[in-house]
Amino acid sequence: MSLIDIFSEEFTKLTVTTESDSSGNTLTSFTDGETFSGALVLVSSSEEDSRLLRKYTLTVSPEVNLSYGDIFRRVSDSEVFEITGEDTGESPEMATFSFRQFEAADYYSSTSVSGSLTITDGSDTIILPVGTDYVITKERIGSVATASDGGTVLDVIGCRVTLRVTELRLSREMASALISMIEGSPFMSVTYPDVSGSVTADFLFDIPKLQAYEFDDDGVCTWCAVAITATGKDVE
Protein backbone atom coordinates (compact mmCIF):
# COMPACT_ATOMS: atom_id res chain seq x y z
CA MET A 1 0.00 0.00 0.00
CA SER A 2 1.51 3.35 -1.01
CA LEU A 3 1.50 6.57 0.97
CA ILE A 4 -1.02 8.05 -1.46
CA ASP A 5 -3.34 5.06 -1.00
CA ILE A 6 -3.67 5.66 2.75
CA PHE A 7 -3.46 9.45 2.75
CA SER A 8 -7.25 9.63 3.15
CA GLU A 9 -7.16 8.12 6.66
CA GLU A 10 -9.27 10.27 8.98
CA PHE A 11 -8.11 11.74 12.29
CA THR A 12 -9.56 14.11 14.91
CA LYS A 13 -7.58 16.61 16.98
CA LEU A 14 -8.30 16.40 20.70
CA THR A 15 -8.27 18.87 23.56
CA VAL A 16 -7.13 17.18 26.76
CA THR A 17 -8.58 18.26 30.11
CA THR A 18 -7.19 16.97 33.41
CA GLU A 19 -8.31 17.46 36.98
CA SER A 20 -7.41 15.89 40.32
CA ASP A 21 -9.81 14.38 42.82
CA SER A 22 -9.50 14.61 46.60
CA SER A 23 -7.21 11.55 46.65
CA GLY A 24 -4.77 13.06 44.21
CA ASN A 25 -5.83 10.85 41.28
CA THR A 26 -5.70 12.50 37.87
CA LEU A 27 -8.89 12.36 35.78
CA THR A 28 -8.47 12.94 32.04
CA SER A 29 -11.11 13.65 29.41
CA PHE A 30 -10.96 14.47 25.70
CA THR A 31 -12.94 16.95 23.62
CA ASP A 32 -13.07 16.48 19.86
CA GLY A 33 -11.77 19.26 17.63
CA GLU A 34 -11.22 19.62 13.90
CA THR A 35 -10.78 16.56 11.70
CA PHE A 36 -8.01 16.05 9.15
CA SER A 37 -6.73 13.45 6.69
CA GLY A 38 -3.28 11.94 6.68
CA ALA A 39 -1.12 8.83 6.72
CA LEU A 40 0.14 7.29 9.95
CA VAL A 41 2.93 4.76 9.36
CA LEU A 42 4.53 2.59 12.07
CA VAL A 43 8.30 3.17 12.15
CA SER A 44 9.46 1.14 15.15
CA SER A 45 8.18 -0.91 18.05
CA SER A 46 10.10 -1.72 21.26
CA GLU A 47 9.52 -2.72 24.86
CA GLU A 48 10.71 -0.52 27.70
CA ASP A 49 10.01 -1.22 31.39
CA SER A 50 7.39 -3.84 30.33
CA ARG A 51 5.60 -1.26 28.17
CA LEU A 52 5.22 -1.41 24.41
CA LEU A 53 6.54 1.78 22.78
CA ARG A 54 5.57 2.38 19.16
CA LYS A 55 6.78 5.28 17.04
CA TYR A 56 5.15 6.55 13.86
CA THR A 57 5.50 9.04 11.05
CA LEU A 58 2.41 11.17 10.45
CA THR A 59 2.11 12.70 6.99
CA VAL A 60 -0.44 15.45 6.34
CA SER A 61 -1.06 18.22 3.84
CA PRO A 62 0.57 21.63 4.47
CA GLU A 63 -2.82 23.12 5.42
CA VAL A 64 -3.28 20.89 8.47
CA ASN A 65 -2.57 22.81 11.68
CA LEU A 66 -0.48 20.52 13.90
CA SER A 67 2.42 21.13 16.26
CA TYR A 68 4.53 19.40 18.91
CA GLY A 69 2.48 17.97 21.79
CA ASP A 70 -0.85 17.85 19.93
CA ILE A 71 -3.09 14.84 20.67
CA PHE A 72 -5.18 13.21 17.96
CA ARG A 73 -7.45 10.18 17.50
CA ARG A 74 -7.66 7.82 14.52
CA VAL A 75 -11.35 7.70 13.55
CA SER A 76 -11.34 4.09 12.32
CA ASP A 77 -10.41 2.48 15.66
CA SER A 78 -10.35 5.38 18.19
CA GLU A 79 -6.64 4.87 18.94
CA VAL A 80 -5.07 8.02 20.40
CA PHE A 81 -1.64 9.38 19.45
CA GLU A 82 0.62 12.30 20.35
CA ILE A 83 2.88 14.46 18.18
CA THR A 84 6.36 13.85 19.66
CA GLY A 85 8.53 15.55 17.03
CA GLU A 86 8.41 18.91 15.27
CA ASP A 87 7.48 19.24 11.61
CA THR A 88 10.41 17.87 9.59
CA GLY A 89 9.98 20.59 6.97
CA GLU A 90 8.55 20.96 3.50
CA SER A 91 8.18 18.00 1.19
CA PRO A 92 11.23 17.11 -0.90
CA GLU A 93 11.52 18.45 -4.46
CA MET A 94 11.06 14.98 -5.99
CA ALA A 95 7.66 14.54 -4.32
CA THR A 96 4.63 14.66 -6.61
CA PHE A 97 2.51 16.41 -3.96
CA SER A 98 3.15 18.69 -0.96
CA PHE A 99 3.06 17.36 2.59
CA ARG A 100 4.37 17.81 6.13
CA GLN A 101 5.66 15.03 8.37
CA PHE A 102 5.76 14.68 12.15
CA GLU A 103 7.04 12.08 14.57
CA ALA A 104 4.25 10.53 16.66
CA ALA A 105 3.73 7.88 19.33
CA ASP A 106 0.87 6.09 21.07
CA TYR A 107 -0.53 8.58 23.57
CA TYR A 108 -0.89 5.92 26.25
CA SER A 109 2.69 4.78 25.66
CA SER A 110 4.06 8.19 26.52
CA THR A 111 1.54 8.73 29.32
CA SER A 112 1.35 5.96 31.92
CA VAL A 113 -2.05 4.32 32.28
CA SER A 114 -1.02 2.13 35.19
CA GLY A 115 -3.92 2.03 37.63
CA SER A 116 -6.35 3.78 35.31
CA LEU A 117 -9.39 2.80 33.28
CA THR A 118 -10.20 4.24 29.86
CA ILE A 119 -13.78 4.34 28.56
CA THR A 120 -14.64 5.43 25.02
CA ASP A 121 -17.68 5.35 22.75
CA GLY A 122 -15.50 5.86 19.67
CA SER A 123 -16.03 9.62 19.75
CA ASP A 124 -15.54 10.80 23.33
CA THR A 125 -13.10 9.34 25.86
CA ILE A 126 -12.87 9.53 29.64
CA ILE A 127 -9.96 8.21 31.71
CA LEU A 128 -10.90 7.28 35.26
CA PRO A 129 -8.63 6.27 38.16
CA VAL A 130 -8.91 2.68 39.32
CA GLY A 131 -9.59 2.61 43.05
CA THR A 132 -9.48 -0.21 45.55
CA ASP A 133 -13.10 -1.07 44.77
CA TYR A 134 -12.35 -1.70 41.10
CA VAL A 135 -13.11 -5.34 40.25
CA ILE A 136 -12.93 -7.40 37.07
CA THR A 137 -14.51 -10.86 37.35
CA LYS A 138 -14.82 -13.69 34.86
CA GLU A 139 -17.80 -16.05 34.95
CA ARG A 140 -17.99 -19.34 33.08
CA ILE A 141 -20.71 -19.51 30.44
CA GLY A 142 -22.04 -22.96 29.56
CA SER A 143 -24.75 -25.56 30.09
CA VAL A 144 -25.02 -28.12 32.88
CA ALA A 145 -25.84 -31.73 31.96
CA THR A 146 -26.02 -35.10 33.70
CA ALA A 147 -23.63 -37.73 32.39
CA SER A 148 -24.53 -41.40 31.94
CA ASP A 149 -22.81 -42.29 35.20
CA GLY A 150 -25.00 -39.81 37.07
CA GLY A 151 -22.30 -37.19 37.44
CA THR A 152 -22.82 -33.54 36.60
CA VAL A 153 -20.77 -31.96 33.84
CA LEU A 154 -20.48 -28.40 32.59
CA ASP A 155 -20.14 -27.82 28.88
CA VAL A 156 -18.13 -24.58 28.95
CA ILE A 157 -18.64 -22.20 26.04
CA GLY A 158 -16.31 -19.53 27.39
CA CYS A 159 -16.06 -16.76 29.98
CA ARG A 160 -17.85 -13.44 30.26
CA VAL A 161 -16.17 -10.50 31.98
CA THR A 162 -17.96 -8.19 34.40
CA LEU A 163 -16.56 -4.82 35.45
CA ARG A 164 -17.61 -3.16 38.70
CA VAL A 165 -16.56 0.03 40.44
CA THR A 166 -18.59 0.18 43.63
CA GLU A 167 -17.80 3.78 44.54
CA LEU A 168 -15.81 6.25 42.46
CA ARG A 169 -15.67 9.89 43.53
CA LEU A 170 -15.99 12.16 40.50
CA SER A 171 -16.50 15.84 39.89
CA ARG A 172 -19.98 16.86 38.78
CA GLU A 173 -18.68 17.57 35.28
CA MET A 174 -16.90 14.23 34.94
CA ALA A 175 -19.87 12.24 36.27
CA SER A 176 -22.24 14.09 33.94
CA ALA A 177 -19.99 13.41 30.94
CA LEU A 178 -19.73 9.71 31.78
CA ILE A 179 -23.48 9.29 32.23
CA SER A 180 -24.18 11.13 28.97
CA MET A 181 -21.80 8.82 27.10
CA ILE A 182 -23.44 5.69 28.51
CA GLU A 183 -26.97 6.97 27.89
CA GLY A 184 -26.07 7.75 24.28
CA SER A 185 -24.20 4.49 23.57
CA PRO A 186 -24.57 1.66 26.11
CA PHE A 187 -21.87 -0.40 24.37
CA MET A 188 -18.50 1.16 25.22
CA SER A 189 -14.88 0.13 24.71
CA VAL A 190 -12.85 -0.18 27.91
CA THR A 191 -9.10 -0.45 28.33
CA TYR A 192 -7.98 -1.64 31.74
CA PRO A 193 -4.83 -3.10 33.36
CA ASP A 194 -4.90 -6.86 33.85
CA VAL A 195 -2.48 -9.49 35.15
CA SER A 196 -1.69 -10.34 31.52
CA GLY A 197 -1.18 -6.69 30.54
CA SER A 198 -3.40 -3.96 29.14
CA VAL A 199 -6.75 -5.31 27.90
CA THR A 200 -9.30 -3.64 25.61
CA ALA A 201 -12.82 -5.06 25.30
CA ASP A 202 -16.41 -3.98 24.61
CA PHE A 203 -18.86 -3.78 27.51
CA LEU A 204 -22.58 -3.20 27.94
CA PHE A 205 -22.90 -0.50 30.62
CA ASP A 206 -25.74 -0.06 33.06
CA ILE A 207 -26.70 3.53 33.83
CA PRO A 208 -24.30 4.54 36.66
CA LYS A 209 -25.78 4.94 40.13
CA LEU A 210 -25.17 8.24 41.90
CA GLN A 211 -24.79 7.19 45.53
CA ALA A 212 -23.70 10.36 47.34
CA TYR A 213 -23.25 14.06 46.66
CA GLU A 214 -21.03 16.85 47.98
CA PHE A 215 -22.16 20.47 47.80
CA ASP A 216 -20.33 23.76 48.21
CA ASP A 217 -21.42 26.61 50.48
CA ASP A 218 -23.81 27.87 47.80
CA GLY A 219 -25.59 24.53 47.55
CA VAL A 220 -24.02 23.64 44.19
CA CYS A 221 -23.04 19.99 43.66
CA THR A 222 -19.28 19.72 43.20
CA TRP A 223 -18.57 15.98 43.66
CA CYS A 224 -20.55 12.75 43.67
CA ALA A 225 -19.91 9.05 44.29
CA VAL A 226 -20.67 6.88 41.25
CA ALA A 227 -21.19 3.11 41.06
CA ILE A 228 -20.42 1.52 37.66
CA THR A 229 -21.42 -1.92 36.40
CA ALA A 230 -20.69 -3.24 32.90
CA THR A 231 -20.91 -6.68 31.31
CA GLY A 232 -18.61 -7.93 28.57
CA LYS A 233 -20.26 -7.89 25.16
CA ASP A 234 -18.51 -11.04 23.93
CA VAL A 235 -17.84 -14.45 25.42
CA GLU A 236 -14.11 -15.13 25.53
Side-chain angles (χ1 to χ4, degrees):
M1 181 180 294
S2 69
L3 184 63
I4 296 177
D5 291 332
I6 61 176
F7 199 73
S8 60
E9 195 168 18
E10 293 295 318
F11 301 93
T12 302
K13 288 183 65 175
L14 302 173
T15 298
V16 181
T17 302
T18 60
E19 58 183 52
S20 297
D21 64 16
S22 60
S23 300
N25 296 308
T26 299
L27 309 180
T28 304
S29 62
F30 297 126
T31 302
D32 287 357
E34 61 183 297
T35 60
F36 63 93
S37 299
L40 187 68
V41 179
L42 179 65
V43 175
S44 65
S45 179
S46 61
E47 188 171 322
E48 182 178 311
D49 296 330
S50 300
R51 295 168 55 202
L52 182 62
L53 302 178
R54 293 179 295 190
K55 297 182 179 180
Y56 306 83
T57 295
L58 175 68
T59 305
V60 297
S61 70
E63 293 77 22
V64 175
N65 182 23
L66 288 173
S67 59
Y68 177 81
D70 282 348
I71 310 299
F72 61 98
R73 177 193 293 116
R74 185 163 52 199
V75 174
S76 61
D77 58 8
S78 298
E79 290 291 323
V80 180
F81 308 90
E82 179 179 10
I83 300 295
T84 57
E86 297 284 0
D87 183 5
T88 57
E90 295 296 328
S91 52
E93 295 182 359
M94 71 284 294
T96 57
F97 61 96
S98 298
F99 59 83
R100 301 167 64 198
Q101 287 189 317
F102 298 86
E103 294 178 357
D106 294 311
Y107 179 66
Y108 301 131
S109 292
S110 57
T111 303
S112 174
V113 296
S114 176
S116 67
L117 182 149
T118 302
I119 303 173
T120 180
D121 60 4
S123 177
D124 296 318
T125 300
I126 289 181
I127 300 178
L128 304 175
V130 178
T132 55
D133 293 325
Y134 162 74
V135 178
I136 288 286
T137 58
K138 290 187 178 182
E139 301 177 4
R140 294 188 183 93
I141 303 297
S143 57
V144 178
T146 302
S148 57
D149 60 0
T152 301
V153 296
L154 174 63
D155 182 16
V156 178
I157 300 174
C159 294
R160 191 184 299 278
V161 176
T162 300
L163 178 153
R164 291 186 179 90
V165 180
T166 58
E167 186 172 320
L168 182 65
R169 193 168 182 268
L170 298 176
S171 69
R172 178 188 61 181
E173 293 77 14
M174 187 70 73
S176 177
L178 175 63
I179 292 172
S180 295
M181 286 172 59
I182 294 174
E183 288 178 340
S185 176
F187 284 107
M188 313 274 277
S189 176
V190 181
T191 300
Y192 59 92
D194 188 73
V195 292
S196 58
S198 180
V199 175
T200 299
D202 293 331
F203 286 82
L204 172 61
F205 277 76
D206 296 335
I207 299 298
K209 297 178 181 178
L210 301 179
Q211 302 183 137
Y213 300 86
E214 181 177 309
F215 299 87
D216 61 17
D217 294 338
D218 297 324
V220 177
C221 176
T222 55
W223 296 88
C224 57
V226 181
I228 302 172
T229 301
T231 304
K233 178 181 177 182
D234 301 316
V235 176
E236 299 178 355

